[in-house]
């Protein structure tokens, strides 16, 4: 007979995956809105962000109930604590995506810059990261989680290239300062999204190995 | 007779307060380093950030032990879950302060901008926020926690003023683009620090009222 906690942990997993799906969808919508200059798509981003917030509270309450009623220990406890942290990161990813949408709405009324092209690449990379991190989570695939940590370095490097390119552009085209600043803000939001996906990957490693890889693992 | 869990919760409170003290100290050191152009103070910021990381892992482990051994419910459970979240926010505040130090080191070798003056004000505001939020936490002062939420609006508003001022400056002084970008990055880091202090205040409200004020409280 299956322990009742297992069924509940499975339900939690499903909730987290649905929430992760909303984040991926929001990332796709926001970059599509920007690239196609289709303002109507921003509405979808805001709707998805609300769904993410709703799921956030739902998952949190579920975890509290589970801890109170089942008093889980060892692996199950680590698993639930990881979900609490992953849940926080996914919620912040929703916030970040909404922030990108706000900045993008301002950006789209300014003269277009060709540098906007990077947005698809960053959006895809972050989407892959969060998908991979959650995949690693449900499968308990620590090796995959470790790969996600490396992907974050690429996102950071790419963001640095985008910013230094835009700085050069601003120096020569003072009329584009506001538009370039919008792009820089968005690039930094994507960097933060990558950081949150990295946090999730670290939580996966902790959930399945009990090993703390944060801070270079020196205190773990 | 005091329940053994009470003594342990008190110890947790102390650990979190020490950690918060490190964050405040790091904020003070980083803004002092910038204002006085004293590079040696950055070292202190990095040392404090390491202490914060160490405390982060210590608090997390303490919470896991407590959950596993005491199986707390209701108020105690909410308290421990809040500590887990506050701990995450304090750790990220350490990261943000370190990031400010990195950017400041680059900024200080460029031509100085008078706009750097805001740094003391932002640093003080954020320091007050984290101090107030943790004070509210140890005293169970929900009213104080609510005041912190309002302070964050001021930090955000101030940051927006700083950024639009710097955008105007860049348009007229293309030689200052890099320095101005450094200041914008730091202003945004302070904004994030304010966000984390806000998260802590929200956790305090949850810990002592069971009320979820995140997302405007609509799902709580």
């Amino acid at each position: 007979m299956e322990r009742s906690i297992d069924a509940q942990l499975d339900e939690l997993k499903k909730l987290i995956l649905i929430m992760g799906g909303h984040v991926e969808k929001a990332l796709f919508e926001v970059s599509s809105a920007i690239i196609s200059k289709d303002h109507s798509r921003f509405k979808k981003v805001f709707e998805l962000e609300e769904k993410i917030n709703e799921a956030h509270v739902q998952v949190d309450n579920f975890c509290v109930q589970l801890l109170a009623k089942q008093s889980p220990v060892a692996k199950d406890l680590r698993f639930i604590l990881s979900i609490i942290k992953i849940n926080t990161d996914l919620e912040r990813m929703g916030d970040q995506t909404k922030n990108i949408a706000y900045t993008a709405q301002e950006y789209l009324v300014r003269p277009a810059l060709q540098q906007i092209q990077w947005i698809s690449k960053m959006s895809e990379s972050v989407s892959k990261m969060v998908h991979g991190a959650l995949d690693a989570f449900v499968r308990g695939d620590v090796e995959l989680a470790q790969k996600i940590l490396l992907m974050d370095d690429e996102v950071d490097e790419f963001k640095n290239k985008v910013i230094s390119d835009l700085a050069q552009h601003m120096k020569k085209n003072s009329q584009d300062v506001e538009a370039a600043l919008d792009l820089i803000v968005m690039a930094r939001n994507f960097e933060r999204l990558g950081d949150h996906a990295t946090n999730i990957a670290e939580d996966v490693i902790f959930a399945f190995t009990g090993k703390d890889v944060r801070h270079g693992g020196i205190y773990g």
Side-chain angles (χ1 to χ4, degrees), chain A:
Chain A
M1 206 188 82
E2 196 180 36
R3 293 179 307 152
S4 126
I5 193 167
D6 286 338
Q8 294 192 282
L9 293 178
D10 276 345
E11 203 176 320
L12 255 181
K13 265 189 198 174
K14 270 182 213 148
L15 281 177
I16 277 288
L17 282 185
I18 291 171
M19 201 174 162
H22 292 329
V23 171
E24 284 180 67
K25 185 110 192 7
L27 282 169
F28 175 74
E29 291 296 339
V30 81
S31 60
S32 304
I34 297 166
I35 294 298
S36 62
K37 296 177 190 170
D38 177 357
H39 280 266
S40 71
R41 296 186 99 140
F42 290 120
K43 203 171 154 258
K44 288 188 195 162
V45 178
F46 300 131
E47 284 165 5
L48 285 160
E49 202 261 339
E50 277 180 31
K51 281 190 191 174
I52 293 165
N53 288 344
E54 212 172 321
H56 175 228
V57 173
Q58 199 185 356
V59 168
D60 236 15
N61 290 342
F62 201 138
C63 290
V64 173
Q65 293 298 320
L66 214 50
L67 288 171
K69 289 188 184 152
Q70 302 270 2
S71 302
V73 293
K75 201 170 113 300
D76 290 342
L77 176 59
R78 278 210 310 272
F79 185 86
I80 295 168
L81 292 178
S82 300
I83 293 246
I84 289 177
K85 290 177 183 174
I86 291 172
N87 190 35
T88 306
D89 279 304
L90 289 176
E91 188 269 331
R92 305 256 162 97
M93 292 183 92
D95 282 349
Q96 285 304 314
T97 311
K98 187 178 69 175
N99 289 343
I100 292 172
Y102 285 144
T103 310
Q105 285 179 321
E106 288 178 15
Y107 168 75
L108 285 182
V109 296
R110 307 190 199 280
L113 299 184
Q114 61 89 10
Q115 281 90 344
I116 189 66
Q117 293 311 318
W118 57 260
I119 205 118
S120 313
K121 187 175 149 68
M122 277 193 105
S123 171
E124 266 170 45
S125 297
V126 171
S127 214
K128 263 187 210 159
M129 282 176 77
V130 63
H131 191 92
L134 291 177
D135 223 24
F137 182 64
V138 288
R139 293 198 263 145
D141 186 341
V142 173
E143 213 172 301
L144 176 57
Q146 266 150 348
K147 279 188 196 149
I148 307 299
L149 305 184
L150 298 177
M151 286 176 74
D152 192 44
D153 295 338
E154 282 172 43
V155 170
D156 287 353
E157 217 173 283
F158 191 68
K159 176 221 66 177
N160 287 337
K161 250 176 58 188
V162 166
I163 292 184
S164 78
D165 183 27
L166 286 164
Q168 290 313 311
H169 182 86
M170 278 194 272
K171 285 183 131 171
K172 288 178 208 133
N173 308 274
S174 67
Q175 77 284 1
D176 285 340
V177 160
E178 279 90 356
L181 279 179
D182 286 339
L183 295 196
I184 288 175
V185 167
M186 290 191 268
R188 293 188 70 87
N189 285 139
F190 274 107
E191 177 199 21
R192 281 176 74 173
L193 282 158
D195 289 344
H196 286 297
T198 301
N199 292 339
I200 295 175
E202 288 176 346
D203 287 330
V204 172
I205 297 172
F206 177 70
F208 291 98
T209 65
K211 212 181 145 201
D212 202 326
V213 292
R214 299 164 306 185
H215 320 307
I218 47 174
Y219 309 111

